[in-house]
């Protein structure tokens, strides 16, 4: 999917530590920049100390099938899934991966297509899932927003993982 300007503003507003560590599911692009540039550019401008992107297609810094458990690559201050998780068959494993990568007190950002976004991926979701994931994991919901685009509707959520 990529990172839109509003999402970039949301990320910039997070109280991330200096030299924060970020990992993305999927190698994302900044779609509000023309030409589109890699998301790592945003994170570097914000003071990122370590950047990783997990992608099965070889475009990321870590090549991995997200249907499978991920070997230990450390903990991150920010974990994002901005357009990859809905293309993975094993949804439970995707959520386990996101949870296991985020350090206590860290942040998680996820956007997923809703019903009304036809023909795009394996799964479309409802905000109920995001609320239930928060409740089951003790996450604080910082933002839960419905976003309409020309291609369809999405739900964006930012969590804080309690520590």
């Amino acid at each position: 999917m990529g990172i839109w300007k509003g999402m970039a503003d949301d990320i910039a507003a997070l109280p991330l530590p200096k030299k924060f560590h970020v990992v993305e599911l999927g190698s994302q692009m900044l779609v509000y920049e023309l030409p589109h540039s890699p998301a790592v550019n945003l994170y570097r401008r914000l003071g990122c100390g370590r950047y990783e992107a997990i992608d099965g297609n070889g475009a990321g810094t870590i090549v991995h099938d997200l249907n499978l458990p991920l070997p230990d690559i450390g903990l991150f201050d920010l974990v994002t899934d901005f357009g990859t998780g809905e293309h993975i068959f094993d949804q439970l494993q995707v959520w386990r991966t996101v949870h296991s990568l985020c350090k206590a007190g860290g942040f998680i950002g996820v956007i997923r297509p809703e019903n009304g976004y036809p023909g795009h991926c394996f799964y479309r979701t409802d905000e109920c899932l995001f609320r239930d994931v928060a409740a089951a994991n003790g996450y604080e919901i910082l933002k839960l927003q419905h976003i309409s685009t020309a291609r369809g509707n999405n739900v964006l959520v930012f969590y804080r993982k309690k520590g």
Side-chain angles (χ1 to χ4, degrees), residues 1 80-83 85-86 91 94-95 98 108-115 123-147 153-160:
M1 219 173 255
T80 69
D81 177 0
F82 294 146
E86 69 268 21
Q91 289 294 285
V94 171
W95 285 102
V98 167
I108 298 169
V110 177
I111 191 165
R112 293 282 173 84
E114 290 186 277
N115 289 330
Y123 303 100
R124 287 178 289 284
T125 191
D126 184 87
E127 78 173 66
C128 178
L129 172 71
F130 296 105
R131 292 186 187 285
D132 289 348
V133 164
N137 292 286
Y139 297 160
E140 175 186 0
I141 296 175
L142 303 175
K143 180 175 194 165
L144 182 61
Q145 177 183 9
H146 296 267
I147 299 172
N153 302 321
N154 299 276
V155 179
L156 171 68
V157 67
F158 279 93
Y159 299 118
R160 183 165 204 162

Side-chain angles (χ1 to χ4, degrees), residues 20-121:
F20 66 94
H21 295 183
V22 62
V23 62
E24 298 185 292
L25 300 192
S27 181
Q28 300 299 319
M29 300 295 285
L30 302 177
V31 297
Y32 61 91
E33 293 185 349
L34 296 174
H36 299 334
S37 67
V40 66
N41 294 344
L42 167 67
Y43 299 120
R44 296 273 188 245
R45 286 193 297 260
L46 296 175
C48 175
R50 178 181 177 204
Y51 169 84
E52 303 288 351
I54 304 165
D55 209 318
N57 67 8
T61 59
I62 298 170
V63 178
H64 181 74
D65 179 349
L66 288 165
N67 288 290
L68 305 172
L70 184 69
D72 183 15
I73 62 168
L75 295 175
F76 294 82
D77 301 292
L78 175 62
V79 179
T80 69
D81 177 0
F82 294 146
T84 296
E86 69 268 21
H87 299 281
I88 307 301
F89 286 112
D90 191 340
Q91 289 294 285
L92 180 57
Q93 185 57 55
V94 171
W95 285 102
R96 283 182 174 148
T97 297
V98 167
H99 181 80
S100 70
L101 289 169
C102 189
K103 65 172 54 172
F107 301 92
I108 298 169
V110 177
I111 191 165
R112 293 282 173 84
E114 290 186 277
N115 289 330
Y117 199 126
H120 172 69
C121 55

Side-chain angles (χ1 to χ4, degrees), residues 4-26:
W4 305 322
K5 179 66 172 124
M7 295 162 67
D9 293 342
D10 291 336
I11 293 166
L14 294 173
L16 292 163
K18 290 184 181 196
K19 298 190 183 256
F20 66 94
H21 295 183
V22 62
V23 62
E24 298 185 292
L25 300 192

